[in-house]
Every structure is written in C-alpha cells, then in structure tokens.
Amino acid sequence: MDDQEFDRRMMRRVFAKQCPNVPLLVARDLKEARERLRAGQISIVFLDNALPDGMGVDLVQEMANDKALKGVPVVIVSDFPSPFMYAKAKAANVCEVWAKRDFVGPSVQRVMTRHARLS
C-alpha cells in the first residue's frame, strides 16, 4: 500500500469515528476533486496538498475565484506544510493548515463544529 492510500484510510477511520452521520466523499486527484465539488453540496474539504496531478493549494485558489465554491471551507493537510503553502492558503481563505499527524479526532471534531456547512 502506498503512502497516499495509507493516509486516505487513516483519514477515513478518524472522520468516520468523529462524524458517523456525515457522508464522506474521497477524491484521489485534482480532476476527481473538481468533479465532486461540481456534483453537489460539500460541507467541508480536507485537501491533501500533494496530489498525483498537481497541488491542492492550487485547487484552493481556483475555489476562491469560483462564485459557487468560494464559501466552501477547506483544511489543507500536508506532510510538511511550508511557509509558501501558508501564504497561498491564507490568500485563498483556507480555514486551517494541518500536518498529517494533526488529523486526529479532536482536531476533526473542532474544525467540523467551527467551519463545516452542515444542513
């Protein structure tokens, strides 16, 4: 199993335990993420910065410039958040930037309570 699949499984487990009644959609790359964002109501996005077809922080900038998506809260999750990433994230109104080790139950619960657009 590659690192990305390991991370996805870990994030699914943490999210399912903290938010069992919130549906979880997973996108494996930017193309799939764009499709899922266009397809329906998204409450919050947990976005890995390193994806097979580009950088998550670039998708966040696209979302910030899109009338329909600019209000969707985003948490960027990265192996090693850099100052450059923080600057781009701040410019695109990202809620939070986490290292992958920060994707734990209390953090997920806090960000979901504070930022998710649940109906």
Side-chain angles (χ1 to χ4, degrees):
M1 171 174 25
D2 69 19
D3 288 346
Q4 289 177 335
E5 184 57 32
F6 178 81
D7 291 339
R8 279 192 294 270
R9 286 183 182 186
M10 177 275 298
M11 290 177 188
R12 279 188 197 113
R13 281 192 306 271
V14 171
F15 190 85
K17 185 174 182 181
Q18 294 303 311
C19 307
N21 298 319
V22 178
L24 177 65
L25 301 174
V26 176
R28 288 170 177 72
D29 56 33
L30 291 174
K31 180 180 183 281
E32 192 174 349
R34 287 180 185 107
E35 291 168 0
R36 293 193 182 275
L37 284 165
R38 292 277 175 230
Q41 288 285 96
I42 302 295
S43 301
I44 192 167
V45 173
F46 292 94
L47 181 63
D48 193 340
N49 191 50
L51 296 163
D53 56 349
M55 303 300 288
V57 75
D58 295 330
L59 177 62
V60 170
Q61 288 184 311
E62 288 176 34
M63 291 172 65
N65 293 323
D66 184 303
K67 187 176 179 179
L69 300 176
K70 70 180 177 182
V72 176
V74 177
V75 175
I76 294 180
V77 183
S78 176
D79 286 321
F80 304 102
S82 69
F84 175 73
M85 182 189 314
Y86 282 102
K88 282 184 106 172
K90 184 176 180 181
N93 298 319
V94 169
C95 300
E96 299 187 22
V97 177
W98 295 350
K100 287 185 180 174
R101 68 179 177 276
D102 297 327
F103 200 102
V104 293
S107 296
V108 170
Q109 191 65 47
R110 177 182 46 75
V111 81
M112 290 297 291
T113 300
R114 189 175 294 166
H115 298 290
R117 302 183 320 175
L118 301 174
S119 46

